[in-house]
mmCIF file of all heavy atoms in Angstrom:
data_model
loop_
_atom_site.group_PDB
_atom_site.id
_atom_site.type_symbol
_atom_site.label_atom_id
_atom_site.label_comp_id
_atom_site.label_asym_id
_atom_site.label_seq_id
_atom_site.Cartn_x
_atom_site.Cartn_y
_atom_site.Cartn_z
ATOM 1 N N SER A 1 -17.565 -3.577 -8.079
ATOM 2 C CA SER A 1 -18.044 -3.820 -6.721
ATOM 3 C C SER A 1 -18.305 -2.509 -5.990
ATOM 4 O O SER A 1 -17.874 -1.447 -6.420
ATOM 5 C CB SER A 1 -17.031 -4.662 -5.949
ATOM 6 O OG SER A 1 -15.777 -4.001 -5.886
ATOM 7 N N ASP A 2 -18.992 -2.621 -4.864
ATOM 8 C CA ASP A 2 -19.323 -1.433 -4.074
ATOM 9 C C ASP A 2 -18.083 -0.827 -3.423
ATOM 10 O O ASP A 2 -18.000 0.392 -3.243
ATOM 11 C CB ASP A 2 -20.327 -1.793 -2.974
ATOM 12 C CG ASP A 2 -21.644 -2.297 -3.549
ATOM 13 O OD1 ASP A 2 -21.980 -1.909 -4.678
ATOM 14 O OD2 ASP A 2 -22.328 -3.074 -2.855
ATOM 15 N N ALA A 3 -17.154 -1.673 -3.037
ATOM 16 C CA ALA A 3 -15.935 -1.214 -2.366
ATOM 17 C C ALA A 3 -14.906 -2.327 -2.446
ATOM 18 O O ALA A 3 -15.197 -3.437 -2.908
ATOM 19 C CB ALA A 3 -16.226 -0.854 -0.906
ATOM 20 N N ILE A 4 -13.674 -2.034 -1.997
ATOM 21 C CA ILE A 4 -12.629 -3.049 -2.030
ATOM 22 C C ILE A 4 -12.027 -3.238 -0.636
ATOM 23 O O ILE A 4 -12.105 -2.359 0.222
ATOM 24 C CB ILE A 4 -11.506 -2.696 -3.024
ATOM 25 C CG1 ILE A 4 -10.672 -1.511 -2.513
ATOM 26 C CG2 ILE A 4 -12.054 -2.430 -4.405
ATOM 27 C CD1 ILE A 4 -9.373 -1.308 -3.278
ATOM 28 N N ILE A 5 -11.438 -4.396 -0.453
ATOM 29 C CA ILE A 5 -10.562 -4.659 0.681
ATOM 30 C C ILE A 5 -9.157 -4.784 0.096
ATOM 31 O O ILE A 5 -8.918 -5.623 -0.775
ATOM 32 C CB ILE A 5 -10.975 -5.926 1.434
ATOM 33 C CG1 ILE A 5 -12.343 -5.719 2.083
ATOM 34 C CG2 ILE A 5 -9.937 -6.309 2.485
ATOM 35 C CD1 ILE A 5 -12.936 -6.956 2.714
ATOM 36 N N LEU A 6 -8.257 -3.924 0.537
ATOM 37 C CA LEU A 6 -6.916 -3.859 -0.040
ATOM 38 C C LEU A 6 -5.953 -4.678 0.799
ATOM 39 O O LEU A 6 -5.760 -4.414 1.988
ATOM 40 C CB LEU A 6 -6.455 -2.402 -0.106
ATOM 41 C CG LEU A 6 -5.134 -2.127 -0.814
ATOM 42 C CD1 LEU A 6 -5.245 -2.457 -2.301
ATOM 43 C CD2 LEU A 6 -4.729 -0.650 -0.635
ATOM 44 N N ALA A 7 -5.345 -5.683 0.170
ATOM 45 C CA ALA A 7 -4.367 -6.535 0.852
ATOM 46 C C ALA A 7 -2.959 -6.060 0.514
ATOM 47 O O ALA A 7 -2.591 -5.952 -0.653
ATOM 48 C CB ALA A 7 -4.554 -7.990 0.428
ATOM 49 N N THR A 8 -2.178 -5.773 1.550
ATOM 50 C CA THR A 8 -0.817 -5.289 1.358
ATOM 51 C C THR A 8 0.101 -5.999 2.336
ATOM 52 O O THR A 8 -0.352 -6.721 3.223
ATOM 53 C CB THR A 8 -0.746 -3.764 1.551
ATOM 54 O OG1 THR A 8 0.572 -3.301 1.226
ATOM 55 C CG2 THR A 8 -1.081 -3.369 2.981
ATOM 56 N N GLY A 9 1.409 -5.828 2.173
ATOM 57 C CA GLY A 9 2.289 -6.513 3.105
ATOM 58 C C GLY A 9 3.759 -6.429 2.776
ATOM 59 O O GLY A 9 4.185 -5.685 1.878
ATOM 60 N N ALA A 10 4.524 -7.220 3.484
ATOM 61 C CA ALA A 10 5.988 -7.160 3.433
ATOM 62 C C ALA A 10 6.554 -7.484 2.059
ATOM 63 O O ALA A 10 7.682 -7.101 1.744
ATOM 64 C CB ALA A 10 6.568 -8.126 4.476
ATOM 65 N N VAL A 11 5.781 -8.181 1.224
ATOM 66 C CA VAL A 11 6.278 -8.550 -0.097
ATOM 67 C C VAL A 11 6.634 -7.322 -0.936
ATOM 68 O O VAL A 11 7.457 -7.405 -1.854
ATOM 69 C CB VAL A 11 5.237 -9.427 -0.831
ATOM 70 C CG1 VAL A 11 4.004 -8.611 -1.203
ATOM 71 C CG2 VAL A 11 5.838 -10.083 -2.061
ATOM 72 N N LEU A 12 6.061 -6.165 -0.600
ATOM 73 C CA LEU A 12 6.315 -4.958 -1.386
ATOM 74 C C LEU A 12 7.738 -4.449 -1.229
ATOM 75 O O LEU A 12 8.315 -3.878 -2.149
ATOM 76 C CB LEU A 12 5.350 -3.838 -0.982
ATOM 77 C CG LEU A 12 3.858 -4.061 -1.206
ATOM 78 C CD1 LEU A 12 3.088 -2.817 -0.817
ATOM 79 C CD2 LEU A 12 3.572 -4.423 -2.649
ATOM 80 N N SER A 13 8.311 -4.608 -0.032
ATOM 81 C CA SER A 13 9.651 -4.069 0.229
ATOM 82 C C SER A 13 10.210 -4.644 1.527
ATOM 83 O O SER A 13 9.446 -5.025 2.424
ATOM 84 C CB SER A 13 9.595 -2.541 0.333
ATOM 85 O OG SER A 13 10.829 -1.996 0.744
ATOM 86 N N ARG A 14 11.517 -4.683 1.637
ATOM 87 C CA ARG A 14 12.155 -5.080 2.897
ATOM 88 C C ARG A 14 12.078 -3.962 3.944
ATOM 89 O O ARG A 14 12.348 -4.193 5.111
ATOM 90 C CB ARG A 14 13.626 -5.457 2.654
ATOM 91 C CG ARG A 14 13.794 -6.771 1.894
ATOM 92 C CD ARG A 14 15.250 -7.106 1.688
ATOM 93 N NE ARG A 14 15.392 -8.396 1.026
ATOM 94 C CZ ARG A 14 15.488 -9.562 1.649
ATOM 95 N NH1 ARG A 14 15.467 -9.590 2.979
ATOM 96 N NH2 ARG A 14 15.608 -10.681 0.981
ATOM 97 N N ARG A 15 11.743 -2.753 3.502
ATOM 98 C CA ARG A 15 11.600 -1.622 4.419
ATOM 99 C C ARG A 15 10.129 -1.412 4.757
ATOM 100 O O ARG A 15 9.313 -1.163 3.864
ATOM 101 C CB ARG A 15 12.179 -0.348 3.820
ATOM 102 C CG ARG A 15 13.681 -0.348 3.664
ATOM 103 C CD ARG A 15 14.218 1.052 3.410
ATOM 104 N NE ARG A 15 13.581 1.697 2.270
ATOM 105 C CZ ARG A 15 12.769 2.745 2.364
ATOM 106 N NH1 ARG A 15 12.441 3.257 3.555
ATOM 107 N NH2 ARG A 15 12.255 3.280 1.271
ATOM 108 N N MET A 16 9.802 -1.508 6.025
ATOM 109 C CA MET A 16 8.414 -1.347 6.438
ATOM 110 C C MET A 16 7.865 0.013 6.025
ATOM 111 O O MET A 16 6.724 0.116 5.564
ATOM 112 C CB MET A 16 8.282 -1.515 7.955
ATOM 113 C CG MET A 16 6.840 -1.410 8.449
ATOM 114 S SD MET A 16 6.673 -1.449 10.251
ATOM 115 C CE MET A 16 7.254 -3.102 10.612
ATOM 116 N N GLN A 17 8.676 1.066 6.150
ATOM 117 C CA GLN A 17 8.201 2.404 5.817
ATOM 118 C C GLN A 17 7.837 2.508 4.346
ATOM 119 O O GLN A 17 6.890 3.202 3.975
ATOM 120 C CB GLN A 17 9.262 3.448 6.172
ATOM 121 C CG GLN A 17 8.757 4.883 6.141
ATOM 122 C CD GLN A 17 7.560 5.110 7.032
ATOM 123 O OE1 GLN A 17 7.484 4.584 8.144
ATOM 124 N NE2 GLN A 17 6.594 5.886 6.562
ATOM 125 N N LYS A 18 8.576 1.805 3.497
ATOM 126 C CA LYS A 18 8.281 1.794 2.063
ATOM 127 C C LYS A 18 6.935 1.112 1.812
ATOM 128 O O LYS A 18 6.141 1.573 0.982
ATOM 129 C CB LYS A 18 9.407 1.067 1.331
ATOM 130 C CG LYS A 18 9.155 0.794 -0.138
ATOM 131 C CD LYS A 18 9.229 2.029 -0.981
ATOM 132 C CE LYS A 18 9.229 1.655 -2.461
ATOM 133 N NZ LYS A 18 8.839 2.756 -3.347
ATOM 134 N N VAL A 19 6.671 0.023 2.511
ATOM 135 C CA VAL A 19 5.383 -0.679 2.387
ATOM 136 C C VAL A 19 4.245 0.253 2.773
ATOM 137 O O VAL A 19 3.222 0.350 2.078
ATOM 138 C CB VAL A 19 5.354 -1.944 3.270
ATOM 139 C CG1 VAL A 19 3.962 -2.578 3.260
ATOM 140 C CG2 VAL A 19 6.402 -2.948 2.807
ATOM 141 N N VAL A 20 4.421 0.952 3.899
ATOM 142 C CA VAL A 20 3.390 1.875 4.382
ATOM 143 C C VAL A 20 3.186 3.015 3.389
ATOM 144 O O VAL A 20 2.040 3.367 3.054
ATOM 145 C CB VAL A 20 3.771 2.423 5.769
ATOM 146 C CG1 VAL A 20 2.797 3.513 6.202
ATOM 147 C CG2 VAL A 20 3.792 1.291 6.795
ATOM 148 N N GLU A 21 4.278 3.589 2.887
ATOM 149 C CA GLU A 21 4.188 4.716 1.956
ATOM 150 C C GLU A 21 3.496 4.310 0.653
ATOM 151 O O GLU A 21 2.643 5.041 0.139
ATOM 152 C CB GLU A 21 5.580 5.269 1.656
ATOM 153 C CG GLU A 21 6.208 6.029 2.815
ATOM 154 C CD GLU A 21 7.624 6.465 2.520
ATOM 155 O OE1 GLU A 21 8.128 6.135 1.405
ATOM 156 O OE2 GLU A 21 8.241 7.122 3.378
ATOM 157 N N ASP A 22 3.871 3.154 0.113
ATOM 158 C CA ASP A 22 3.271 2.700 -1.150
ATOM 159 C C ASP A 22 1.781 2.417 -0.984
ATOM 160 O O ASP A 22 0.972 2.718 -1.874
ATOM 161 C CB ASP A 22 3.984 1.449 -1.659
ATOM 162 C CG ASP A 22 5.358 1.756 -2.238
ATOM 163 O OD1 ASP A 22 5.696 2.959 -2.351
ATOM 164 O OD2 ASP A 22 6.093 0.808 -2.569
ATOM 165 N N THR A 23 1.424 1.833 0.154
ATOM 166 C CA THR A 23 0.012 1.535 0.404
ATOM 167 C C THR A 23 -0.786 2.820 0.564
ATOM 168 O O THR A 23 -1.869 2.972 0.002
ATOM 169 C CB THR A 23 -0.142 0.659 1.655
ATOM 170 O OG1 THR A 23 0.657 -0.521 1.511
ATOM 171 C CG2 THR A 23 -1.597 0.253 1.856
ATOM 172 N N ALA A 24 -0.241 3.766 1.336
ATOM 173 C CA ALA A 24 -0.920 5.049 1.537
ATOM 174 C C ALA A 24 -1.088 5.790 0.214
ATOM 175 O O ALA A 24 -2.103 6.466 -0.012
ATOM 176 C CB ALA A 24 -0.143 5.898 2.534
ATOM 177 N N HIS A 25 -0.099 5.656 -0.681
ATOM 178 C CA HIS A 25 -0.176 6.309 -1.995
ATOM 179 C C HIS A 25 -1.346 5.752 -2.796
ATOM 180 O O HIS A 25 -2.129 6.517 -3.387
ATOM 181 C CB HIS A 25 1.136 6.102 -2.753
ATOM 182 C CG HIS A 25 1.120 6.592 -4.163
ATOM 183 N ND1 HIS A 25 0.809 7.892 -4.505
ATOM 184 C CD2 HIS A 25 1.348 5.938 -5.341
ATOM 185 C CE1 HIS A 25 0.868 8.032 -5.821
ATOM 186 N NE2 HIS A 25 1.189 6.866 -6.351
ATOM 187 N N VAL A 26 -1.495 4.421 -2.822
ATOM 188 C CA VAL A 26 -2.612 3.810 -3.548
ATOM 189 C C VAL A 26 -3.946 4.249 -2.945
ATOM 190 O O VAL A 26 -4.897 4.569 -3.662
ATOM 191 C CB VAL A 26 -2.487 2.270 -3.534
ATOM 192 C CG1 VAL A 26 -3.777 1.617 -4.033
ATOM 193 C CG2 VAL A 26 -1.316 1.829 -4.400
ATOM 194 N N VAL A 27 -4.014 4.269 -1.621
ATOM 195 C CA VAL A 27 -5.240 4.716 -0.948
ATOM 196 C C VAL A 27 -5.571 6.154 -1.354
ATOM 197 O O VAL A 27 -6.726 6.470 -1.671
ATOM 198 C CB VAL A 27 -5.103 4.600 0.583
ATOM 199 C CG1 VAL A 27 -6.283 5.279 1.283
ATOM 200 C CG2 VAL A 27 -5.017 3.140 0.991
ATOM 201 N N ASN A 28 -4.569 7.015 -1.369
ATOM 202 C CA ASN A 28 -4.800 8.416 -1.747
ATOM 203 C C ASN A 28 -5.234 8.548 -3.203
ATOM 204 O O ASN A 28 -6.102 9.373 -3.534
ATOM 205 C CB ASN A 28 -3.536 9.245 -1.500
ATOM 206 C CG ASN A 28 -3.268 9.470 -0.023
ATOM 207 O OD1 ASN A 28 -4.198 9.486 0.785
ATOM 208 N ND2 ASN A 28 -2.009 9.643 0.334
ATOM 209 N N LEU A 29 -4.645 7.741 -4.076
ATOM 210 C CA LEU A 29 -5.056 7.761 -5.482
ATOM 211 C C LEU A 29 -6.517 7.334 -5.624
ATOM 212 O O LEU A 29 -7.288 7.945 -6.382
ATOM 213 C CB LEU A 29 -4.173 6.831 -6.319
ATOM 214 C CG LEU A 29 -2.745 7.273 -6.618
ATOM 215 C CD1 LEU A 29 -2.062 6.257 -7.519
ATOM 216 C CD2 LEU A 29 -2.717 8.654 -7.266
ATOM 217 N N TYR A 30 -6.890 6.294 -4.900
ATOM 218 C CA TYR A 30 -8.258 5.789 -5.005
ATOM 219 C C TYR A 30 -9.278 6.789 -4.471
ATOM 220 O O TYR A 30 -10.461 6.716 -4.799
ATOM 221 C CB TYR A 30 -8.383 4.464 -4.254
ATOM 222 C CG TYR A 30 -7.796 3.273 -4.995
ATOM 223 C CD1 TYR A 30 -7.068 3.453 -6.161
ATOM 224 C CD2 TYR A 30 -7.949 1.976 -4.528
ATOM 225 C CE1 TYR A 30 -6.518 2.382 -6.844
ATOM 226 C CE2 TYR A 30 -7.415 0.888 -5.212
ATOM 227 C CZ TYR A 30 -6.699 1.093 -6.363
ATOM 228 O OH TYR A 30 -6.159 0.018 -7.036
#
């Protein structure tokens, strides 16, 4: 596809900061 829409959320961790960090990491990798 031309681009993606990335869906993320609380399911990743009980810590909000961990969710944010993991999502930002994937964004940086991409």
